[in-house]
Amino acid sequence: MPIFNLSSFSKRLKDKEWGIRCVAYNNQSNRLAVSRTDGTVEIYNLSANYFQEKFFPGHESRATEALCWAEGQRLFSAGLNGEILEYDLQALNIKYALDAFGGPIWSMAASPSGSQLVVGCEDGSVKLFEVTPEKIQFARNFDRQKSRILSLSWHPAGTHIAAGSIDYISVFDVKSGSIIRKMVLDRQHLGVTKSRCIVWGVAFLSDGTVISVDSVGKVQLWDSATGTLVKSHLIANADVQSIAVADQEDSFVVGTAEGTVFHFQLVSVTSSSSEKQWVRTKPFQHHTHDVRTVAHSPTALISGGTDTHLVIRPLMEKVEVKNYDAALRKITFPHRRLISCSKRRQLLLFQFAHHLELWRLGSTLATGKNGDTLPLSKNADHLLHLKTKGPENIICSCVSQCGSWIAYSTASRFFLYRLKYEHDNISLQRVSKMPAFLQSAVHILFSEDSRKLFVASNQGSLHILHLLEGSFKHLHTFQPQSGTVEAMCLLAVSPDGNWLAASGTSAGVHVYDLNHLKLHCTVPAYNFPVTALAIAPNTNNLVIAHSDQQVFEFSIPDKQYTDWSRAVQKQGFHQLWLQRDTPITHISFHPKRPMHILLHDAYMFCIIDKALPLPNDKTVLYNPLPPKNESDVFLRRTAHAFKISKIYKPLLFMDLLDERTLVAVERPLDDIIAQLPPPIKKKKFGT
């Protein structure tokens, strides 16, 4: 690997890390919706290597408590502001918000057919809504209960609903809205009577069994026809907070406040008996804090909670990959960039939920050999703290290469600022009177010369602005291709300013001619979404990374894949490369080494040397041992095209500042855990 003087900038992010509040799995599309405690909603495509293909920004007034899919591909959420939201999965915005008029909403569930929604409210009401093509419509109230409705589940036939509350479970008849059964829970926990028993989750099975999880650490099975307790499992010394059942009803998963996930399976009592019973199998400890939510896909158990991790644990008997480490997924960081860089001024812009921070990198005068950590001669400077106005989270942001412009967007407003530097002082001037078509953006990018700004709207259009001294001029708008309104989530502009590449979550990559302001070509469609793209200097080759870890190189002038890319596809990538479980989030190029492609994901930095042969599966892709001597160093450099470094802690950002300087922003997992409240301590044997 070429030796760089590395300016490693590990900035401790000060914002609160947002935990996972709820998840909802869609069996039809194999997608997972995840809600964070700040109201952000993320969509993961499990068929596309668990890639986070879409997200909806959070909002200060939205504390999401429930997510569900209805009518196939329609996504709804509800929360403590008392509103039900539906999301536009194409335009990446909220279609509408509907007040349920029951106070804060604690739970929500869609009917098995997807044509109805039911919500549980603070005032004890259970409300039924019809899902119509345009929006949802209130149908009626069920019998009101004395306390808030914390959990809901439909019978698979759609005839009854189980509702978990405080100290009891109610069973409703959907047709009449009347309560037909009530099961009272025992507050006893290891001989101690609790003040109350909160039913955090319920699941209604086809045979009429209701499974409940509660605050006294129990998983209980009830006969809904008689209201009697059939079986009780004490599994934790703290709350059992979530439950999800497999579609076949042969297994279910629960999560506890101790960070443990338990898997229950329905097995035969004896090998010759047709009688079956629920048996708890091995517990799994992939979380440090509360497991607030779980889901059950046909091939995996999914969990999330306070520690921000989304864990997808495979059911090994139902997946093709028999290597557990290769199949397990633990997703911690966003699959998008929250940091941008001004190379000329050596600045980094950090994006938080409600503010931006601009930092100037430190510098060193010291020298050393490869691998040394050099002391800083000058520390990093915090230049700017730019706080947003209003309750909306920031969607995207960018700083120009010259460091004189900052742009960012929320769901309803677009902001552009001009920066001026005088010695150690910095002044900020907001560009006022933004045009109506710039109400919101999903991606922002400045040209290499900082004279143009490219804005991708949530309606699929791409706007080009010419930047002037403290103002701008609208040059052109590329309208979305006919029949599509999909937002373009990734942009890349060529260093010479002649080409712009844009990609959506499912559409192909479009390349625009910026000189003639027209569509130049569309890259051939590929089955997996794009995770990163960049245009190389001099050659104007477009390099595209996909969620299945494939990397393509496309010649923009020739409108076809390059010879190198065709050779790669013919031979194939190394098996260990394809098994990586985090997507490539950035691609860049060395200005003096045109055969090099630089890219990184959260756990590795890689240089691909196109002049060297590709590794095959028998070749060592990554050698973790240090080289023994100069001869060993040379052999490794010339062995094959991939030079991989895993010395960094989780990487949020990495890029070249110049031909000899690389900047890396790390986010150690220990820092995240340190900011969380203390986990529940469990007594260990012998202590």
Side-chain angles (χ1 to χ4, degrees):
M1 180 183 290
I3 298 175
F4 298 91
N5 289 329
L6 178 67
S7 175
S8 181
F9 181 66
S10 296
K11 178 182 178 293
R12 185 181 295 269
L13 305 183
K14 297 187 286 294
D15 256 14
K16 178 182 177 182
E17 297 292 341
W18 299 113
I20 294 174
R21 181 60 194 93
C22 44
V23 299
Y25 175 70
N26 187 320
N27 198 22
Q28 294 182 24
S29 64
N30 199 27
R31 282 174 168 80
L32 183 75
V34 177
S35 175
R36 305 278 173 174
T37 51
D38 69 337
T40 297
V41 173
E42 303 160 347
I43 309 294
Y44 291 83
N45 187 342
L46 304 192
S47 299
N49 205 15
Y50 307 92
F51 178 59
Q52 184 195 110
E53 62 181 7
K54 301 176 183 179
F55 86 100
F56 300 86
H59 194 284
E60 282 186 346
S61 68
R62 290 200 303 264
T64 303
E65 287 291 322
L67 275 175
C68 73
W69 298 88
E71 288 268 314
Q73 304 298 316
R74 295 174 66 177
L75 179 63
F76 296 87
S77 74
L80 300 184
N81 64 351
E83 292 181 338
I84 303 171
L85 308 178
E86 182 174 3
Y87 297 87
D88 188 328
L89 300 181
Q90 291 295 315
L92 300 183
N93 59 15
I94 293 172
K95 279 187 179 180
Y96 59 87
L98 183 69
D99 196 325
F101 294 104
I105 299 173
W106 292 96
S107 53
M108 177 172 59
S111 65
S113 66
S115 60
Q116 294 175 310
L117 284 180
V118 64
V119 297
C121 303
E122 172 74 18
D123 64 358
S125 63
V126 176
K127 299 175 181 289
L128 183 70
F129 292 82
E130 299 289 341
V131 180
T132 65
E134 295 299 321
K135 59 190 304 185
I136 60 173
Q137 184 175 347
F138 175 73
R140 66 174 179 275
N141 286 313
F142 289 1
D143 290 346
R144 179 173 294 189
Q145 303 304 294
K146 293 181 179 180
S147 60
R148 64 182 63 150
I149 307 298
L150 293 163
S151 51
L152 291 164
S153 179
W154 287 76
H155 187 277
T159 55
H160 297 85
I161 291 173
S165 192
I166 298 176
D167 293 333
Y168 61 88
I169 301 167
S170 304
V171 178
F172 294 92
D173 179 81
V174 174
K175 189 174 182 179
S176 66
S178 301
I179 183 170
I180 61 172
R181 198 75 62 216
K182 181 175 286 189
M183 290 89 85
V184 180
L185 280 78
D186 185 5
R187 300 179 185 176
Q188 288 283 328
H189 176 75
L190 299 176
V192 179
T193 301
K194 300 283 187 177
S195 60
R196 60 181 182 175
C197 180
I198 303 172
V199 183
W200 290 118
V202 289
F204 217 146
L205 305 185
S206 300
D207 64 0
T209 300
V210 174
I211 308 174
S212 66
V213 297
D214 57 46
S215 60
V216 297
K218 294 178 182 177
V219 176
Q220 301 192 107
L221 286 79
W222 304 82
D223 185 337
S224 64
T226 61
T228 55
L229 178 64
V230 177
K231 185 71 174 177
S232 181
H233 299 267
L234 179 62
I235 65 169
N237 293 319
D239 298 46
V240 185
Q241 297 181 308
S242 48
I243 181 173
V245 180
D247 286 345
Q248 295 79 11
E249 297 186 357
D250 57 355
S251 73
F252 67 87
V253 57
V254 299
T256 75
E258 297 171 331
T260 309
V261 172
F262 291 94
H263 186 206
F264 285 77
Q265 292 179 288
L266 189 62
V267 299
S268 299
V269 176
T270 63
S271 58
S272 60
S273 173
S274 61
E275 182 184 354
K276 294 185 177 182
Q277 64 179 6
W278 288 102
V279 175
R280 184 183 70 185
T281 59
K282 181 182 176 181
F284 303 99
Q285 190 81 36
H286 297 302
H287 297 274
T288 60
H289 291 66
D290 304 43
V291 179
R292 299 294 301 273
T293 180
V294 291
H296 199 314
S297 81
T299 59
L301 308 179
I302 302 166
S303 57
T306 306
D307 64 3
T308 76
H309 300 314
L310 177 65
V311 177
I312 302 172
R313 181 192 174 274
L315 298 170
M316 297 308 296
E317 67 275 11
K318 296 185 178 182
V319 295
E320 294 180 3
V321 179
K322 296 303 180 183
N323 183 333
Y324 178 81
D325 291 332
L328 179 71
R329 294 290 186 270
K330 194 170 186 178
I331 302 170
T332 304
F333 300 102
H335 292 170
R336 63 187 190 278
R337 305 192 84 193
L338 301 177
I339 302 167
S340 57
C341 177
S342 166
K343 296 181 180 180
R344 295 180 205 169
R345 288 189 177 270
Q346 299 203 344
L347 306 175
L348 290 180
L349 181 69
F350 291 82
Q351 176 184 319
F352 298 86
H354 294 285
H355 75 275
L356 301 173
E357 291 187 15
L358 187 66
W359 287 74
R360 181 188 289 121
L361 293 172
S363 59
T364 182
L365 299 176
T367 59
K369 62 180 182 296
N370 184 31
D372 287 350
T373 300
L374 305 179
L376 287 177
S377 305
K378 183 180 180 182
N379 291 325
D381 294 326
H382 186 187
L383 301 179
L384 180 67
H385 182 104
L386 182 59
K387 184 172 174 56
T388 63
K389 296 180 180 179
E392 296 176 331
N393 284 18
I394 298 173
I395 298 176
C396 56
S397 61
C398 193
V399 60
S400 64
Q401 292 292 336
C402 67
S404 297
W405 296 93
I406 288 178
Y408 75 89
S409 178
T410 66
S412 63
R413 300 185 70 184
F414 183 87
F415 298 86
L416 180 62
Y417 291 88
R418 173 73 170 174
L419 281 69
K420 293 185 178 180
Y421 302 85
E422 296 180 6
H423 305 295
D424 291 333
N425 297 321
I426 182 172
S427 60
L428 191 69
Q429 177 189 353
R430 179 183 169 187
V431 178
S432 58
K433 298 180 180 179
M434 303 304 294
F437 63 80
L438 279 181
Q439 286 185 353
S440 180
V442 294
H443 195 83
I444 305 169
L445 184 66
F446 289 93
S447 62
E448 194 80 11
D449 60 8
S450 302
R451 298 176 63 184
K452 292 179 182 177
L453 174 62
F454 306 97
V455 181
S457 78
N458 60 4
Q459 298 299 319
S461 55
L462 298 172
H463 307 294
I464 305 176
L465 309 179
H466 178 59
L467 300 175
L468 307 171
E469 183 68 30
S471 63
F472 67 91
K473 178 183 178 182
H474 177 227
L475 291 181
H476 186 72
T477 294
F478 292 114
Q479 297 298 335
Q481 301 305 302
S482 59
T484 64
V485 292
E486 183 182 43
M488 297 289 108
C489 300
L490 288 173
L491 299 177
V493 63
S494 62
D496 59 15
N498 293 332
W499 309 103
L500 176 69
S503 172
T505 56
S506 60
V509 179
H510 304 296
V511 180
Y512 297 91
D513 184 335
L514 296 179
N515 291 323
H516 300 92
L517 298 177
K518 66 178 184 178
L519 178 67
H520 175 68
C521 65
T522 298
V523 179
Y526 189 66
N527 293 333
F528 289 83
V530 176
T531 67
L533 71 168
I535 302 175
N538 303 320
T539 63
N540 281 325
N541 289 337
L542 173 64
V543 178
I544 308 168
H546 292 270
S547 65
D548 63 345
Q549 310 301 353
Q550 295 288 341
V551 178
F552 295 89
E553 186 181 50
F554 183 85
S555 171
I556 293 177
D558 297 336
K559 300 183 182 181
Q560 63 180 5
Y561 289 115
T562 65
D563 292 340
W564 177 83
S565 188
R566 295 178 191 275
V568 169
Q569 293 306 307
K570 183 178 180 179
Q571 176 177 329
F573 284 97
H574 196 287
Q575 182 181 1
L576 294 178
W577 176 268
L578 298 177
Q579 287 178 354
R580 291 172 21 257
D581 58 3
T582 53
I584 294 167
T585 54
H586 184 61
I587 302 170
S588 59
F589 307 94
H590 195 289
K592 297 295 180 66
R593 294 170 182 164
M595 298 301 287
H596 288 187
I597 301 173
L598 287 69
L599 40 81
H600 79 84
D601 62 19
Y603 297 100
M604 71 92 202
F605 167 64
C606 177
I607 297 176
I608 300 177
D609 188 342
K610 296 188 294 180
L612 295 177
L614 292 168
N616 57 42
D617 287 344
K618 296 180 181 179
T619 308
V620 177
L621 180 68
Y622 165 67
N623 194 333
L625 299 176
K628 298 177 182 179
N629 48 49
E630 289 297 323
S631 176
D632 193 9
V633 172
F634 176 77
L635 288 175
R636 291 192 188 185
R637 287 182 181 175
T638 58
H640 59 72
F642 285 71
K643 309 297 180 288
I644 298 174
S645 173
K646 293 186 177 181
I647 66 172
Y648 307 103
K649 297 173 183 177
L651 277 170
L652 292 189
F653 177 87
M654 181 173 275
D655 202 0
L656 278 172
L657 292 178
D658 53 49
E659 61 184 79
R660 293 186 55 81
T661 310
L662 191 70
V663 58
V665 179
E666 302 167 308
R667 187 64 173 118
L669 293 176
D670 290 344
D671 286 358
I672 297 176
I673 301 301
Q675 293 189 23
L676 300 175
I680 293 175
K681 292 184 178 180
K682 292 185 290 185
K683 184 176 178 61
K684 297 182 179 179
F685 179 76
T687 62

